Amino acid sequence: MDDETLARLLAAARAVREHAYAPYSGFAVGAALLDEHGRVHAGCNVENAAYPQGWCAETSALAAMVGAGGRRVLGLVVVGVAPRPLTPCGGCRQKLREFAADDCPVWSADLERVHARFTLAELLPASFGPGHLETSA
């Protein structure tokens, strides 16, 4: 992925993070992904008083992508302010696996810089995915 595209993803994730609804944890997160058409889709976390009913920024970005007709994630940025690089939670890693290849880059950033880069395979090794459900005729 080129620097200009990464900059677009970072800008989108940082901007959408400002709209996060995190009144309980105070932990705002933004995510932006690039689809197979070169479009950027962004999402933020949305909490709920019944904690398990909220959803993550990555889930919001994936829903925006699917709603726009995208089916492949080519790269993802997650933005949050934390003492260590912020990565997608386990549930979001599995959701990303549905739409991204093992070599899909995932960048962790805060409001100022990128802190780390991973591949989806590094974040979710030996994962279960759509290929496991293919049957031979």
Side-chain angles (χ1 to χ4, degrees):
M1 182 168 306
D2 62 45
D3 290 343
E4 181 181 325
T5 303
L6 179 56
R8 286 176 46 215
L9 289 171
L10 285 163
R14 288 174 176 145
V16 75
R17 180 186 170 276
E18 296 299 317
H19 300 289
Y21 181 74
Y24 305 103
S25 72
F27 193 73
V29 179
L33 58 84
L34 181 71
D35 74 10
E36 73 273 25
H37 305 291
R39 299 176 298 192
V40 172
H41 305 278
C44 59
N45 57 319
V46 180
E47 293 181 349
N48 184 296
Y51 282 132
Q53 301 305 312
W55 59 89
C56 299
E58 300 88 340
T59 300
S60 296
L62 283 169
M65 179 191 79
V66 170
R71 292 294 183 265
R72 297 295 302 158
V73 175
L74 303 181
L76 173 80
V77 169
V78 181
V79 172
V81 178
R84 297 189 332 225
L86 181 65
T87 60
C89 73
C92 285
R93 292 174 192 202
Q94 188 63 45
K95 289 175 181 88
L96 288 165
R97 174 67 176 86
E98 192 70 20
F99 299 98
D102 284 341
D103 63 351
C104 179
V106 178
W107 288 273
S108 171
D110 62 17
L111 303 180
E112 298 173 11
R113 67 182 188 91
V114 172
H115 290 279
R117 180 191 180 279
F118 306 91
T119 65
L120 186 56
E122 289 171 322
L123 294 175
L124 192 63
S127 67
F128 179 85
H132 289 93
L133 300 176
E134 293 176 1
T135 58
S136 53

